[in-house]
Amino acid sequence: MRTDTHHLTAARVTATPRITVVGTGYLGATHAICMAQLGYEVLGVDVDTAKIDALRSGRVPFHEPGLPEALDQAMSTGRLDFTTDFSRAAQFGDIHFLCVGTPQKPGSQAADLRFVEAAATQLAAQITGPALIVGKSTVPVGTAAMLRERVRTLSPAGRALDLAWNPEFLREGFAVQDTLHPDRLVFGVASTWAEQVLRGVYRPILEEGTPVVVSDLATSELVKVAANSFLATKISYINAMAEVCEAVDADVGDLARALAHDDRIGGRFLRPGLGFGGGCLPKDIRAFQHRAREIGAGAAVRFLEDVDAINARRRSRAVELVRELAGGSLLGVRIAALGAAFKPDSDDVRDSPALDVAHRLRREGADVVVYDPEAAENAHRVHPDLPLAASLTEAMRGAQVTVLLTEWDEFREARPESLAALVAEPRILDARDALDARGYTRAGWAYRTLGRPFPPVPSAAHPTSAAVAVREEELELCTAAAEDAEPVPLPAEP
Ligand code: UDX
């Protein structure tokens, strides 16, 4: 519980805390920059010298819309700096946010806690006065309580050092918006002092009316994995329906739209396609299953196995459809793979369905050329053998099958007529259901997507206008509702 020392320092720490942010990846760099924008003095810390050098020189070392401008702004105030020096950080900060990664352990479903443990203990060993460590990384339930005991035992500050958990829900591509205007804040605390400090540091955000849920450490850790499990389940649910639709030539697009009109279900995260990927959803549902088994609650989240399996099957189905479009074999077939990032507006290829499908196609002997507007460098790091094009045109020139794997605006906005002129065969799998099916068909493309009926693939290299007209008619029947197909076809939840 709260000590007198805490009580005395609470006012100072809540009024003008100095902040460190440990880990300067997508989450940490954004958090550091946004906290400086809110008016705090902030020191970002990382063991990666290259990352720190980039940030110090005003460059964001990954793609995140709006973040470079925010970094510029924050640096110009003189309130933001970055370092690799942990002792400087320990002396500088009153509140230390932990934003390091908790990736999946190789060969296991479990989360690798090495970085979070190292960050907490390295800091704690050098913190000498009252301070609050605030974990933001996604961790297995029980980690925060264990770390709290460990840092208090280890630190010269002893019980004047507290630890709280404050999970982060930011989405890549919307990181600045989600950090400065989150839909909720969650404070996992073991003392009223910690709650006071968190309420203080987040005051500008709370004053906007942002709801806050204050709970214990374990619940706050669970909130994050529960949220990501729910989102993953919703995506796999609609993708499971896509599988069923495929079995009877029904249309999952119409089905999703019809479901979305039910307010209780809602349309968000109900977009069928190639499934989820990224640095959070896949590893979080696996780590949750692993931890649940450890604590004797494995049966409660066993369904997540299916969620993961449905997600994986979408990738296999995409490969199967490309093979069909290619005429039954992928051997030597020139394929334009559009997209490598796990979603648009990101250069993140962690567990990316797009990159995985491109890689599988190449493994089956196809001559794959990948183009992604932002993720080429990261894709090359993961699969150096995968040929990359420098432009959409280069990727498409001479392609026998095209497959849309990440729904970047550049791909959605490209004119099907212009693209048809580049390829050897106008055949496309729109694995994200993001393109204008009717427009493509009109332009002579054999167009397919997942979970929706499609017209037969023409046997000629370039279909005759009569063949196009027939396909157009057929498509009219099966995609009547796609007429108004907008980038996000489902109504948003209120
Ligand atoms: C996610 C959570 O949304 C965020 O709250 C958490 O903090 C981190 O994990 P992010 O990984 O940035 O964020 O991606 P998100 O926008 O949630 O998309 C996840 C994946 O699901 C993407 O691969 C996306 O393409 C896919 N997706 C999303 C679908 O396939 N269908 C949908 O309807 C929505």
Side-chain angles (χ1 to χ4, degrees), residues 168-172 224 228 231 235 239 268-272 275-281 342-343 353 407 432:
E168 180 59 58
F169 305 98
L170 71 78
R171 297 159 299 166
E172 289 177 27
K224 177 61 190 278
N228 277 354
L231 295 173
I235 297 168
N239 282 333
R268 295 179 73 185
F269 272 72
L270 206 62
R271 221 172 49 241
F276 58 83
C280 291
L281 262 47
F342 83 105
K343 67 172 188 180
E407 66 275 36
R432 293 289 184 180

Side-chain angles (χ1 to χ4, degrees), residues 166-373:
N166 165 224
E168 180 59 58
F169 305 98
L170 71 78
R171 297 159 299 166
E172 289 177 27
F174 301 89
V176 175
Q177 158 79 16
D178 285 354
T179 303
L180 289 174
H181 310 286
D183 45 19
R184 80 290 213 188
L185 286 168
V186 176
F187 299 160
V189 294
S191 73
T192 46
W193 183 71
E195 181 186 341
Q196 261 180 288
V197 173
L198 284 169
R199 282 190 184 276
V201 74
Y202 282 118
R203 182 167 300 129
I205 292 174
L206 291 172
E207 277 171 355
E208 285 187 345
T210 307
V212 58
V213 178
V214 182
S215 190
D216 53 80
L217 295 173
T219 307
S220 68
E221 293 167 307
L222 280 173
V223 169
K224 177 61 190 278
V225 283
N228 277 354
S229 297
F230 189 85
L231 295 173
T233 304
K234 207 169 172 194
I235 297 168
S236 274
Y237 179 82
I238 199 64
N239 282 333
M241 293 307 109
E243 278 187 41
V244 177
C245 285
E246 278 160 10
V248 291
D249 268 354
D251 189 321
V252 74
D254 293 347
L255 184 126
R257 256 186 297 280
L259 291 183
H261 284 296
D262 185 329
D263 277 350
R264 296 166 303 173
I265 298 174
R268 295 179 73 185
F269 272 72
L270 206 62
R271 221 172 49 241
L274 203 49
F276 58 83
C280 291
L281 262 47
K283 64 120 174 136
D284 286 355
I285 62 168
R286 293 171 197 150
F288 194 14
Q289 291 171 73
H290 183 89
R291 184 61 180 148
R293 284 194 296 271
E294 282 179 347
I295 58 177
V301 296
R302 200 169 292 142
F303 68 94
L304 291 175
E305 245 178 64
D306 274 329
V307 168
D308 212 1
I310 293 163
N311 199 48
R313 284 204 297 274
R314 287 292 80 188
R315 301 178 187 189
S316 310
R317 176 69 180 148
V319 171
E320 206 175 284
L321 281 176
V322 175
R323 196 187 303 110
E324 271 178 34
L325 275 171
S329 165
L330 287 165
L331 214 61
V333 175
R334 170 71 169 76
I335 292 176
L338 307 186
F342 83 105
K343 67 172 188 180
D345 290 324
S346 167
D347 62 356
D348 196 344
V349 297
R350 286 175 292 174
D351 220 320
S352 166
L355 193 56
D356 188 27
V357 168
H359 178 64
R360 286 191 204 192
L361 292 168
R362 180 171 162 84
R363 236 179 21 210
E364 287 205 25
D367 172 14
V368 181
V369 177
V370 178
Y371 169 64
D372 189 288

Side-chain angles (χ1 to χ4, degrees), residues 23-29 44-62 71 82-84 99-101:
T24 55
Y26 292 93
L27 165 59
V45 196
D46 208 301
V47 292
D48 185 337
T49 318
K51 242 186 226 170
I52 291 299
D53 288 347
L55 288 162
R56 285 201 86 182
S57 65
R59 192 174 64 79
V60 177
F62 50 86
L71 174 63
F82 296 92
T83 184
T84 52
C99 295
V100 294

